[in-house]
Amino acid sequence: MKTFLVLGAGTAGTMIARKMAKALDSSQWKVILVDRTELHYYQPGFLFVPFGMYSKDDVVQPNKKFVARGIEYVISGIEQLQPAENRVTLANGRVINYDYLVIATGTDIRPDQTEGMMDGGWQQNIFDFYTYEGAAALAPVLQKFEGGRLVVNVVEMPIKCPVAPLEFLFLADWYFTRKGIRNKVDLVYATPLPGAFTKPRAAAEFGSMLERKNIHVEAEFAAGLVDSSRNVLSSYDEREIPYDLLVTIPLNMGADFLNAAGLGDELNFVRTDKATLQSTQYENIFVMGDAANIPTSKAGAVIHFEMEIAYKNILAHMAGKPLDHHFDGHALCYIETGFGKATLIDFDYNQEPLPGKYPVPGIGPFDLLGQTTINHWGKLAFKFMYWDLMLRGIEVPLPTKFSMAGKKA
Ligand SMILES: Cc1cc2nc3c(=O)[nH]c(=O)nc-3n(C[C@H](O)[C@H](O)[C@H](O)COP(=O)(O)OP(=O)(O)OC[C@H]3O[C@@H](n4cnc5c(N)ncnc54)[C@H](O)[C@@H]3O)c2cc1C
């Protein structure tokens, strides 16, 4: 028997394991999927938890519901990967020798990497919303917040879903307006970027939205230190931002074992061919989702677009054929803007987000870079698409390739 091993049973791992188990002859191949947790998280829903819009049931489910039949699902930490030996050692002591490997271990927040972040203030007046635990702990704090300085800070790029901090601020503006205390809350966005976003046209659009909503942007702020005794966040160039409540997006890093395996860059993201999704170092390793160092957004929608490419290239490699399927970096993201509206961006490696319309037969078109109610419903519908279509291997009617249709250049 040959072994097809998938590390990480999040969005990418659960989906590619299902596709491979269906494609491979079970008399010759076994498909093994490994993760340290038996829970599956709908991470885009974490955004809504602090504002009381989603509860635990919306965002956490047992993963065994989504792991297809025929896959051996192993719950254990992954301790060591020896790519030259085609071998993985798990925390439970099991050693797995593989023929093909997909790395899909995503990215984690690392508050421990910023000096002072976890001293004293952590989960007192410093919170994250990139984990379920962080988002749930923040909800009662926001509810009781009566006014003061709320600072949202991105420590360093890249982070998963780079628009989520903006969405948090837009929702905070709406939430405190609805509570009748918006005039008592100062909202501040401290970002390492020169503006609101990475891509120029979207950055200009989001920048003016932040201004209209009276959200102050502290740009090029490279956070280096949290002094929780004074409630001050400092940058490496010694600027200081005082806060009453700090909502941080800590440094995002890939799994440590990837660095030890010699596959990771300085943030443990795996060096990956951005077109074929194959490891640049080992032919029998493919990388999917947030774990890869490819220059597109770390987002669930990106994984949906990657899936067909990775799947076809893996099968081509097994058949000794060239890897002809190329990923274009396609990313599509609804951005909640508060007051029941959202906007939408669609881009790839070469084309930045543009205004116009995104056509979806039957339900669209959706406004690109415009704020509409139908975009908000699109954002909320993503939860259904995730739990009931994507994870269950049911086709989602969104074409893999980026297209200029409907866009105004
Ligand atoms: C607040 C927030 C909002 C978001 N909003 C959106 C959105 O609107 N649209 C969108 O498309 N995307 C959004 N995303 C991003 C999206 O959720 C992720 O990009 C996607 O889930 C990543 O999937 P993945 O499979 O790469 O990693 P994950 O789903 O994170 O899975 C990685 C898995 O690997 C396991 N793992 C890691 N290391 C080890 C180890 N050493 N041993 C064992 N197991 C290990 C983990 O337990 C985990 O289950 C958002 C994310 C957040 C946090």
Side-chain angles (χ1 to χ4, degrees):
M1 287 291 272
K2 288 183 273 192
T3 297
F4 191 93
L5 177 61
V6 180
L7 299 180
T11 312
T14 302
M15 287 167 63
I16 193 72
R18 173 189 291 276
K19 263 182 115 58
M20 295 313 302
K22 204 167 165 194
L24 297 174
D25 178 348
S26 61
S27 66
Q28 290 180 31
W29 284 90
K30 60 181 170 186
V31 177
I32 304 178
L33 175 64
V34 183
D35 203 295
R36 61 187 164 206
T37 168
E38 53 196 335
L39 297 175
H40 197 110
Y41 296 95
Y42 173 60
Q43 299 175 40
F46 294 171
L47 171 70
F48 297 117
V49 172
F51 301 101
M53 296 164 72
Y54 278 2
S55 63
K56 192 172 185 181
D57 289 348
D58 292 301
V59 295
V60 189
Q61 298 211 28
N63 204 33
K64 65 174 187 296
K65 279 171 76 171
F66 308 107
V67 176
R69 222 176 291 150
I71 296 170
E72 186 192 350
Y73 181 30
V74 181
I75 310 289
S76 170
I78 300 148
E79 266 197 359
Q80 193 186 27
L81 164 60
Q82 294 163 283
E85 283 80 33
N86 298 328
R87 188 160 58 220
V88 166
T89 306
L90 304 185
N92 67 8
R94 179 166 167 189
V95 174
I96 303 175
N97 296 299
Y98 59 81
D99 295 279
Y100 277 86
L101 177 68
V102 172
I103 299 173
T105 37
T107 166
D108 259 341
I109 57 159
R110 295 292 297 268
D112 58 306
Q113 298 289 312
T114 301
E115 195 182 337
M117 178 91 75
M118 301 193 78
D119 299 346
W122 187 247
Q123 301 249 323
Q124 301 297 318
N125 66 344
I126 305 175
F127 293 86
D128 80 279
F129 67 98
Y130 268 49
T131 58
Y132 172 69
E133 293 70 24
L138 181 53
V141 174
L142 283 190
Q143 212 175 21
K144 288 193 211 110
F145 197 65
E146 287 176 349
R149 215 155 202 268
L150 193 166
V151 176
V152 174
N153 169 240
V154 175
V155 169
E156 198 175 314
M157 299 301 282
I159 56 170
K160 58 182 148 188
C161 196
V163 291
L166 292 171
E167 296 183 280
F168 187 94
L169 284 157
F170 296 148
L171 282 177
D173 171 60
W174 158 78
Y175 181 83
F176 293 123
T177 303
R178 203 189 51 175
K179 271 181 87 175
I181 60 163
R182 179 64 182 92
N183 57 347
K184 294 184 186 160
V185 182
D186 286 330
L187 291 174
V188 179
Y189 183 36
T191 167
L193 296 172
F197 193 55
T198 45
K199 317 265 175 179
R201 280 179 84 160
E205 182 62 35
F206 299 148
S208 64
M209 278 167 63
L210 289 164
E211 206 177 313
R212 284 199 300 276
K213 291 174 188 284
N214 196 20
I215 299 168
H216 174 71
V217 180
E218 202 58 54
E220 294 180 336
F221 188 91
L225 174 74
V226 177
D227 182 347
S228 56
S229 66
R230 293 193 301 134
N231 289 341
V232 167
L233 173 70
S234 310
S235 61
Y236 285 109
D237 60 3
E238 295 180 357
R239 278 183 281 160
E240 291 197 335
I241 301 180
Y243 60 82
D244 296 298
L245 179 58
L246 176 62
V247 176
T248 180
I249 293 85
L251 185 68
N252 276 217
M253 287 181 76
D256 286 336
F257 75 85
L258 293 167
N259 188 37
L263 295 176
D265 64 13
E266 65 285 0
L267 291 172
N268 300 347
F269 295 125
V270 182
R271 286 181 280 272
T272 305
D273 185 303
K274 69 176 193 171
T276 62
L277 304 176
Q278 188 182 38
S279 150
T280 56
Q281 292 162 268
Y282 294 89
E283 279 193 19
N284 61 343
I285 299 181
F286 287 77
V287 193
M288 296 194 62
D290 296 352
N293 77 342
I294 60 175
T296 188
S297 281
K298 296 188 182 300
V302 168
I303 295 168
H304 165 71
F305 299 132
E306 281 178 347
M307 193 57 55
E308 207 57 26
I309 310 288
Y311 167 73
K312 286 181 174 158
N313 279 341
I314 293 167
L315 291 179
H317 193 268
M318 287 174 171
K321 294 183 183 156
L323 308 189
D324 281 342
H325 301 276
H326 288 177
F327 181 52
D328 58 4
H330 190 189
L332 176 74
C333 227
Y334 286 103
I335 300 154
E336 196 65 16
T337 54
F339 300 91
K341 295 200 169 161
T343 182
L344 180 65
I345 51 175
D346 185 41
F347 56 101
D348 70 359
Y349 287 140
N350 301 316
Q351 182 58 63
E352 66 166 320
L354 293 172
K357 301 276 182 199
Y358 183 82
V360 179
I363 38 173
F366 295 94
D367 270 58
L368 293 164
L369 286 177
Q371 296 174 61
T372 62
T373 308
I374 182 176
N375 282 346
H376 168 67
W377 290 114
K379 174 95 187 172
L380 297 185
F382 192 44
K383 184 179 74 160
F384 157 76
M385 275 172 48
Y386 190 81
W387 289 129
D388 294 320
L389 303 182
M390 282 171 68
L391 288 187
R392 294 181 192 275
I394 299 170
E395 201 56 43
V396 176
L398 294 176
T400 297
K401 291 271 174 214
F402 173 82
S403 155
M404 282 298 285
K407 297 191 176 67
K408 291 186 203 149

